[in-house]
Amino acid sequence: MVKIVGIAGSLRPNSYTYLALQAAAQRLEALGAEIEIIDLREWQLPFCNGGKEYSQYPDVQRLRDTVSNTDGLILATPEYHGGVSGVLKNALDLLSFDELSGKVTGLISVLGGQSNSNALNDLRLIVRWVHGWVIPEQIAVGQAYSAFSPEGKLLDEKLSQRFDQFAQSLIENTRKLRGVN
């Protein structure tokens, strides 16, 4: 079984980023994947200082263990000032090649304005730098305030289909690149 960890890079209550990650997670589960979501609002992570040890923050080791024991990742970020959120970047900085190398990764960005790929490009560079594999399909949810129903469901059918394709690609590429059934 393919094991995927999703990380929501937003601390905002009622986060659209979290809703987008949930939409992807539901599709992955429907395809038979095991998925765990890391909600950084609930984790106590320090600012990365470049060190290896953060013994006073047990969630750092928990993050490392969780990511180590998975086949693939979904990184979901709001786009802030044209780039990836600081909270997601910090979480990734607390990880290393040990945890991220070889991971198959899908990328999602959420924007208040028009869709673009700035944050997605940032994440693509970061994942490539740590020797991870980013799938070709990526999702940018523009005008997120109008993309979801009050219940958190995607309203646009074409966007929903993109989430389906994203999930299928993440499963297929994880199986190919990681040799998982």
Side-chain angles (χ1 to χ4, degrees):
M1 175 182 290
V2 174
K3 293 171 65 174
I4 304 290
V5 167
I7 303 176
S10 173
L11 300 179
R12 182 178 173 181
N14 304 314
S15 165
Y16 295 119
T17 301
Y18 190 81
L19 290 176
L21 181 57
Q22 285 286 87
Q26 291 166 356
R27 285 155 172 81
L28 288 162
E29 286 176 338
L31 294 171
E34 179 183 322
I35 182 139
E36 178 178 351
I37 293 186
I38 294 174
D39 185 349
L40 294 175
R41 296 175 292 194
E42 299 172 1
W43 291 53
Q44 297 298 312
L45 299 174
F47 285 119
C48 179
N49 64 14
K52 288 256 186 214
E53 300 300 320
Y54 295 89
S55 58
Q56 66 274 36
Y57 294 95
D59 279 348
V60 173
Q61 190 58 51
R62 182 175 156 213
L63 175 67
R64 291 172 176 172
D65 292 343
T66 301
V67 172
S68 287
N69 294 316
T70 191
D71 301 305
L73 298 168
I74 301 173
L75 301 177
T77 186
E79 183 164 313
Y80 293 147
H81 302 301
V84 64
S85 73
V87 69
L88 182 57
K89 178 66 166 80
N90 186 66
L92 293 171
D93 288 344
L94 290 166
L95 299 169
S96 71
F97 287 92
D98 294 337
E99 295 87 25
L100 295 167
S101 182
K103 297 295 184 208
V104 181
T105 305
L107 307 176
I108 300 172
S109 71
V110 176
L111 304 93
Q114 293 297 318
S115 294
N116 69 60
S117 57
N118 292 334
L120 296 168
N121 289 337
D122 287 350
L123 286 172
R124 191 171 292 280
L125 288 171
I126 292 165
V127 173
R128 185 176 66 218
W129 190 262
V130 295
H131 300 169
W133 298 94
V134 179
I135 64 170
E137 292 74 20
Q138 59 187 18
I139 299 174
V141 180
Q143 299 175 342
Y145 54 86
S146 64
F148 298 94
S149 72
E151 299 79 33
K153 302 290 182 196
L154 290 166
L155 295 173
D156 182 88
E157 184 59 33
K158 286 184 181 180
L159 183 58
S160 182
Q161 289 172 0
R162 287 186 49 225
F163 272 87
D164 291 339
Q165 294 164 348
F166 173 90
Q168 187 68 41
S169 178
L170 186 56
I171 295 287
E172 288 174 3
N173 284 292
T174 301
R175 286 183 174 143
K176 287 178 198 172
L177 295 168
R178 300 280 294 182
V180 180
N181 291 325

